[in-house]
Amino acid sequence: MRFHTRKWIKPQDLNPNGTLFGGRVLEWIDEECALYSIIQLENPKTVTKYMSEINFQNSAKKGDIIEIGIEVLKFGTTSIQLRCEVRNKMTRSSIISIEKIIMVTLDENGKPKPHGKTKVEFVKDRLNDKS
Ligand SMILES: CCCCCCCCCCCCCCCC(=O)SCCNC(=O)CCNC(=O)[C@H](O)C(C)(C)COP(=O)(O)OP(=O)(O)OC[C@H]1O[C@@H](n2cnc3c(N)ncnc32)[C@H](O)[C@@H]1OP(=O)(O)O
């Protein structure tokens, strides 16, 4: 799993208990999965279709640095299946994991559209292929 994005827990990210608000971390995960899928599948019209059960394993507190990791489990025809884990950057303790997230690419009519991708690609290789 590659950890792409780091976040710093700020006062506005806390729940009344003084720990990381679950809704905030889910927003970060959704955005991270959308961006990752848009880049992999090369289609900005990519939406979240499904998320499996969400397991909040540990909390985080103000000032903690966390990181968001994504792994591709499967390339489908119109979908990509991801796994996501958020962990404390310094202690590596797991905060939340979602075992199955399905993102779907759409056509101009909002219908699932085949993306033609079968493996993880890196932007630097795409750029090298063009030069
Ligand atoms: C110009 C723009 C610039 C953008 C710059 C970047 C901005 C970056 C900001 C990001 C910001 C955050 C953005 C987040 C993204 C949202 O939050 S999107 C909003 C929330 N999601 C939605 O509104 C989607 C609503 N759902 C739908 O519209 C329809 O269900 C869909 C997605 C079109 C799918 O239609 P459907 O008829 O259910 O499709 P169906 O053919 O049955 O399934 C499609 C695929 O999903 C799979 N699938 C469906 N259900 C399941 C399931 N339960 N389990 C497993 N697989 C499933 C199917 O197996 C199929 O996969 P393939 O075999 O083709 O690979």
Side-chain angles (χ1 to χ4, degrees), residues 25 29-30 33 37 54-55 57 61 63 67 69 83 89 92 94-95 102-103 107 113 122 130:
V25 72
I29 289 171
D30 195 31
C33 289
S37 304
I54 292 158
N55 185 3
Q57 285 137 333
K61 59 184 189 313
E67 56 186 354
R83 178 177 175 274
K89 170 80 181 159
R92 298 281 163 96
S94 185
I95 294 166
I102 306 288
M103 309 295 294
D107 64 16
K113 175 186 174 185
F122 298 95
K130 282 186 186 143

Side-chain angles (χ1 to χ4, degrees), residues 8-20:
W8 192 30
I9 310 302
K10 303 196 186 82
Q12 61 266 34
D13 304 322
L14 303 179
N15 59 31
N17 197 32
T19 57
L20 176 60

Side-chain angles (χ1 to χ4, degrees), residues 30-31 34-35 38 44 46-50 75-80 100 102-104 106 110-112 115:
D30 195 31
E31 185 170 332
L35 285 171
I38 287 167
T46 298
V47 292
T48 314
K49 171 64 184 166
Y50 173 87
F75 284 87
T77 305
T78 66
S79 69
I80 184 170
K100 184 174 167 185
I102 306 288
M103 309 295 294
V104 175
L106 306 180
K111 299 289 176 211
H115 48 65

Side-chain angles (χ1 to χ4, degrees), residues 68-99:
I68 305 171
I70 291 183
E71 180 183 0
V72 178
L73 298 181
K74 193 175 120 189
F75 284 87
T77 305
T78 66
S79 69
I80 184 170
Q81 182 176 330
L82 307 174
R83 178 177 175 274
C84 180
E85 184 179 345
V86 179
R87 68 184 186 187
N88 184 301
K89 170 80 181 159
M90 309 307 265
T91 66
R92 298 281 163 96
S93 125
S94 185
I95 294 166
I96 178 173
S97 61
I98 307 180
E99 296 303 316

